[in-house]
Amino acid sequence: MASTSTDHPEQSQREDWTWPSLREAQRAILLDVLLHGRRSRAELGRRIGMTRASLSRLTRELSALGLVAETGVQLDGARGRPSETLEIAPEGAQFLGFKLTGTSLYTALTDLSAQVVLIESEQLPSREVGDVVDSMRRATDRLRERAPRLAAIGVCLAGDVHREPERGDVVSGSSFLGWEETPLQQLLVSATGLPVTISNDVQALTTAHHWFGAGHGTRSLAVLGVGEGIGCGIVVDGRRVHGAHGRPGKVGHLAVGGDARCDQGHRGCVSAYATVPAMLRAAGASDFAALEAAARSGDERADRAFRDAAAALGTVIATLASLIDIERVVVTGEALAVAQLHRDTVDAALRARLDPVSVPPEIVLHPFRFTDYAWGAAVTAIHSLV
Ligand SMILES: [Zn+2]
């Protein structure tokens, strides 16, 4: 039985509120209106395969829980009969997303529809696990005032995360924080009492783009984050790929040709071209913003570094497309300008390397803000419950 803040509304709206346990069919209804937007009951019934009476009962419960709202009536296209429409109730729950770097904590608070209500950032007192968990606990306590129905927390960071039956989400390695084998989910659940999910940052961003962003509506998607490194998240058949060890999408050392070497000594490796450190090295520069400005103004050396990076990027996209026949690739990250300035080079490299029978994916260049990662983390929290 779905449990309920509505039995005793006077006492349950504040600290006692927790995300209700929902039946599978209710989660299906919630997910459909969350991702699609407003639906008529008649159409929902057809999509989920449910009789009008069952659907009415389940949506009534969801409405009483404050998670969906009945917002009007529309004519049902199939039969021309009026049918009540249903949509998500954004204020039905709030979610916290944290992005950790080696020095800072970025925080996003969203509503149930993944709209960002608030963004904050602060310095971490240290990289010690206890200090970092304490910073997240304090941010959570502070934001409970703004979030009377705080349902769950998502955390993301550059590094690898795997799930263990006993210990939950464990950070297997994060070079920026210097962590190894850290059971971060358990620690944060103990500190906050809320459901917590932990992800790699590009993976979190992939889930967010798939559900609500530049990958919305696709069944297969790759998100490429180009910055200090090159990260990738992959969705196949509507689900994010988790891999056997929590490490899918390791495209950073794919061979793309040429003679340049990455910091691991690989010849012709993508990290020898399509990362911020590689481009700085190739152009003899020390600041990426200045390098980007130089590339935009046609400086030959800067332009060459960007063009080589764009070609490497196109080759990575060709590999992804040939392997998994992907529908759309979202390119984002601090070094997005590479693809913006040299889109023709990306496309040419893609065509040159694509398997002859493969279909080139749609490439979407998505403007990047660093706080997107915190939003992505909040979306993983929504994903963990709906
Ligand atoms: Zn390499």
Side-chain angles (χ1 to χ4, degrees), residues 150-214:
L150 189 55
I153 297 173
V155 183
C156 75
L157 73 179
D160 295 321
V161 178
H162 66 279
R163 187 160 292 176
E164 294 184 6
E166 297 288 316
R167 297 198 296 165
D169 294 342
V170 174
V171 178
S172 10
S174 172
S175 54
F176 293 109
L177 285 157
W179 293 358
E180 281 176 23
E181 293 300 315
T182 305
L184 188 59
Q185 182 186 35
Q186 272 185 353
L187 294 170
L188 197 56
V189 168
S190 302
T192 63
L194 285 163
V196 172
T197 183
I198 316 285
S199 312
N200 165 274
D201 52 6
V202 180
Q203 305 290 335
L205 200 56
T206 301
T207 294
H209 275 304
H210 180 224
W211 271 22
F212 302 107

Side-chain angles (χ1 to χ4, degrees), residues 26-245:
Q26 286 176 315
R27 287 171 66 142
I29 294 166
L30 198 58
L31 183 61
D32 189 83
V33 293
L34 180 64
L35 299 188
H36 176 272
R38 180 187 297 184
R39 287 263 201 219
S40 73
R41 271 205 193 145
E43 191 178 358
L44 259 175
R46 281 194 296 275
R47 289 179 62 85
I48 295 170
M50 203 174 275
T51 65
R52 208 178 169 97
S54 306
L55 187 70
S56 291
R57 187 167 44 77
L58 292 174
T59 55
R60 214 165 35 239
E61 287 173 7
L62 283 172
S63 177
L65 289 166
L67 301 178
V68 299
E70 281 149 335
T71 48
V73 170
Q74 71 183 37
L75 288 183
D76 173 23
R79 301 198 187 150
R81 282 166 50 182
S83 176
E84 299 85 356
T85 56
L86 206 68
E87 62 186 88
I88 208 79
E91 68 287 358
Q94 295 89 39
F95 298 84
L96 261 182
F98 292 123
K99 154 73 175 172
L100 293 169
T101 71
T103 54
S104 299
L105 173 66
Y106 292 82
T107 304
L109 179 67
T110 75
D111 63 21
L112 179 55
S113 66
Q115 286 294 311
V116 173
V117 176
L118 172 147
I119 290 271
E120 290 182 350
S121 66
E122 63 187 278
Q123 290 285 307
L124 290 169
S126 81
R127 301 195 306 175
E128 290 299 316
V129 176
D131 284 346
V132 174
V133 169
D134 205 46
S135 292
M136 291 191 281
R137 179 192 59 75
R138 277 186 279 107
T140 305
D141 287 346
R142 202 170 57 241
L143 289 171
R144 277 181 196 272
E145 279 300 303
R146 301 279 301 266
R149 292 175 146 227
L150 189 55
I153 297 173
V155 183
C156 75
L157 73 179
D160 295 321
V161 178
H162 66 279
R163 187 160 292 176
E164 294 184 6
E166 297 288 316
R167 297 198 296 165
D169 294 342
V170 174
V171 178
S172 10
S174 172
S175 54
F176 293 109
L177 285 157
W179 293 358
E180 281 176 23
E181 293 300 315
T182 305
L184 188 59
Q185 182 186 35
Q186 272 185 353
L187 294 170
L188 197 56
V189 168
S190 302
T192 63
L194 285 163
V196 172
T197 183
I198 316 285
S199 312
N200 165 274
D201 52 6
V202 180
Q203 305 290 335
L205 200 56
T206 301
T207 294
H209 275 304
H210 180 224
W211 271 22
F212 302 107
H216 183 74
T218 59
R219 297 282 299 164
S220 64
L221 172 75
V223 174
L224 279 169
V226 189
E228 283 302 305
I230 173 164
C232 177
I234 299 166
V235 171
V236 173
D237 294 337
R239 288 179 172 273
R240 199 180 87 206
V241 174
H242 288 269
H245 310 95

Side-chain angles (χ1 to χ4, degrees), residues 252-254 262-266 269-272:
H253 293 278
L254 285 178
C262 75
D263 59 359
Q264 299 295 307
H266 309 140
C269 166
V270 64
S271 285

